[in-house]
Amino acid sequence: MRETLEREIKLAPGEGFVLPELGGRRLPTRVFISTYHDTPDLRLARHGVTFRHRIEDGAGLWQLKLPRDAARLELELAGPPARPPAELTALLPAYLRGASLVPVARLRTRREGIQARGAEIVDDSVAVLEGQHVTRRFREIEVELLDGDERTLRQLEKELRRAGARATGELQPKLYRALDLAGAVEPRVSRKRTPP
């Protein structure tokens, strides 16, 4: 099982947005289909957890993302779409509380981008699918740190905003946009104590 700590920002591209010149090297264009799994009442999503099966170039990969402070822990395991791997579902009983996992959304993503300054900067064009029909579309810009630092992340964000991208507010997975879940997620418990 592959484990990584995902540190990223997401931005919304404005009308006619084009990635600015940021140096680095262009990445190959990728197209993948992601099927998100959750309980029928979206218990995982309500806690900031996403669980999906992604198919790219005929290969299947299960991905589980768990919130961890300002980042997300991403666990990946290769496998077919028929059944979620036990190694990953074994981490979910506290969220599932006996409920079954079912497919809740299917997205097709076309990804273009560059790798520069210790980060991967991508422009994702996303189609939300019902069967073979597209029910809606959206774009998002993601900047994910590979080996850069938080300062690099903020500098890249500034340059992208100057080029016409805008902040999306809360960092939310694509699933939330696909299902219109903005504001529907339970708030995280604050660690600050309120004075009596």
Side-chain angles (χ1 to χ4, degrees):
M1 183 178 340
R2 184 169 160 249
E3 181 178 320
T4 55
L5 192 62
E6 185 180 71
R7 296 175 298 153
E8 67 180 8
I9 57 165
K10 295 184 185 231
L11 300 167
E15 191 68 34
F17 175 85
V18 176
L19 277 178
E21 179 54 52
L22 298 169
R25 67 177 177 88
R26 184 154 293 285
L27 298 169
T29 299
R30 299 170 58 194
V31 177
F32 42 85
I33 304 282
S34 300
T35 302
Y36 288 81
H37 294 257
D38 204 331
T39 63
D41 60 353
L42 305 175
R43 292 179 189 182
L44 297 181
R46 282 189 230 286
H47 291 90
V49 175
T50 53
F51 190 34
R52 69 183 174 211
H53 185 265
R54 175 176 283 175
I55 297 177
E56 182 176 7
D57 295 329
L61 183 68
W62 286 93
Q63 297 175 310
L64 175 62
K65 297 189 181 189
L66 301 161
R68 176 158 301 168
D69 298 321
R72 292 192 300 171
L73 178 65
E74 181 177 73
L75 304 171
E76 295 181 332
L77 200 56
R83 176 177 295 178
E87 297 95 323
L88 296 178
T89 57
L91 303 172
L92 300 175
Y95 299 108
L96 300 177
R97 293 190 230 147
S100 298
L101 289 168
V102 296
V104 295
R106 204 162 132 258
L107 280 59
R108 181 179 63 232
T109 302
R110 178 183 172 85
R111 173 169 286 177
E112 298 178 347
I114 60 170
Q115 188 172 322
R117 303 184 220 167
E120 190 173 278
I121 302 101
V122 298
D123 184 347
D124 285 346
S125 297
V126 182
V128 181
L129 305 173
E130 277 187 25
Q132 296 302 314
H133 301 286
V134 175
T135 60
R136 64 189 291 214
R137 295 178 189 275
F138 61 89
R139 272 177 77 195
E140 83 179 9
I141 307 299
E142 288 184 2
V143 181
E144 181 177 349
L145 286 179
L146 302 175
D147 55 19
D149 57 22
E150 294 297 321
R151 207 163 100 199
T152 300
L153 192 62
R154 296 300 154 218
Q155 182 59 41
L156 287 167
E157 179 182 11
K158 277 184 193 174
E159 292 180 47
L160 291 165
R161 290 178 74 157
R162 278 197 298 265
R166 62 187 188 282
T168 58
E170 190 74 24
L171 179 65
Q172 295 186 334
K174 289 177 178 64
L175 174 65
Y176 290 35
R177 291 188 66 185
L179 297 179
D180 286 325
L181 292 180
V185 179
E186 291 176 2
R188 294 191 191 208
V189 177
S190 173
R191 295 177 191 238
K192 293 179 183 173
R193 294 187 55 149
T194 308

